Amino acid sequence: MDENLEKEVGLVEAVLFLDSEPLSVDAISRISELSEEVVEKCLDELREKYGQESSGIELSQITGGWTLTPKKEYWEVLKERYGNKNAGRLSRSAMEVLSIIAYKQPITRAEIEAIRGVPPDNMIRILTERQLVKEVGRKEGPGRPCQFGTTKEFLKFFGLNSIAELPQLDEKENERFELAR
């Protein structure tokens, strides 16, 4: 390991460990306050470190970002126990989209965007991959857009027997979930 980058490599490693989503070099640079060039060198060092046969973790590139994951050969043994661990680490954006879907289902992408003010496509993809939401039908009207709702996995994740057990929103919270007009 480059002795001059030891602390920087440690910082980048800590950022990747703590963040639940894959991060781009630019994002790692902003979070760590290191230049992109230094982040790239740190990623090379981490790739070498986790490339060792004795390591159970690897540096993976997913959806254009970097993240720490268990090595595939160990995941088969571990997924039964830890399979839902990643689902427990949802970003704030993912939780926001999940909340909107849970309280307003069935709901379309466009309706989620009208509430949030930001396109939800990436978050919907993540939530679908984690089996917390799914397509539940199509809305009548132009283009017949897909509607999304929560799954049984969502209920298990939050320890609910049904969607009716979601905490009630107060008036102020309910207004936040209304479609922008």
Side-chain angles (χ1 to χ4, degrees):
M1 180 181 289
D2 186 338
E3 305 247 339
N4 299 330
L5 288 178
E6 211 168 278
K7 286 186 178 192
E8 290 85 352
V9 170
L11 177 60
V12 170
E13 183 178 37
V15 167
L16 292 172
F17 176 77
L18 291 170
D19 212 287
S20 61
E21 301 295 326
L23 297 171
S24 66
V25 170
D26 178 55
I28 297 168
S29 175
R30 282 193 315 272
I31 293 166
S32 65
E33 299 178 355
L34 299 171
S35 72
E36 288 186 23
E37 182 180 315
V38 169
V39 169
E40 292 277 5
K41 289 179 183 175
C42 292
L43 290 170
D44 288 341
E45 294 286 340
L46 290 172
R47 202 174 1 261
E48 187 176 317
K49 173 183 177 178
Y50 291 120
Q52 305 290 324
E53 200 165 316
S54 62
S55 176
I57 294 172
E58 63 188 352
L59 182 64
S60 302
Q61 192 170 25
I62 300 172
T63 63
W66 294 98
T67 189
L68 297 175
T69 59
K71 284 189 176 173
K72 287 174 183 56
E73 62 261 29
Y74 301 126
W75 185 242
E76 286 306 310
V77 175
L78 301 172
K79 72 179 175 183
E80 181 71 30
R81 179 175 175 100
Y82 299 104
N84 289 335
K85 188 173 182 181
N86 283 343
R89 296 178 64 193
L90 292 173
S91 69
R92 187 175 181 172
S93 297
M95 283 298 292
E96 183 179 38
V97 170
L98 185 57
S99 298
I100 292 168
I101 293 171
Y103 281 98
K104 294 296 186 179
Q105 61 187 312
I107 189 168
T108 66
R109 278 183 167 85
E111 291 167 338
I112 296 167
E113 184 173 349
I115 292 169
R116 286 185 76 219
V118 179
D121 296 350
N122 194 40
M123 294 302 115
I124 289 174
R125 182 189 53 75
I126 289 167
L127 295 170
T128 301
E129 285 173 2
R130 294 186 182 181
Q131 299 178 342
L132 296 172
V133 301
K134 66 180 181 181
E135 285 185 31
V136 294
R138 297 215 170 251
K139 188 171 185 168
E140 293 297 324
R144 297 194 31 90
C146 292
Q147 293 179 308
F148 296 91
T150 55
T151 64
K152 286 182 182 178
E153 278 301 314
F154 168 86
L155 296 174
K156 282 194 326 193
F157 182 75
F158 288 101
L160 303 172
N161 289 319
S162 75
I163 205 72
E165 291 183 4
L166 279 173
Q168 294 299 307
L169 299 176
D170 65 28
E171 192 173 301
K172 184 179 178 183
E173 290 170 323
N174 208 26
E175 285 177 14
R176 284 187 32 222
F177 280 79
E178 291 303 316
L179 293 173
R181 303 266 182 241

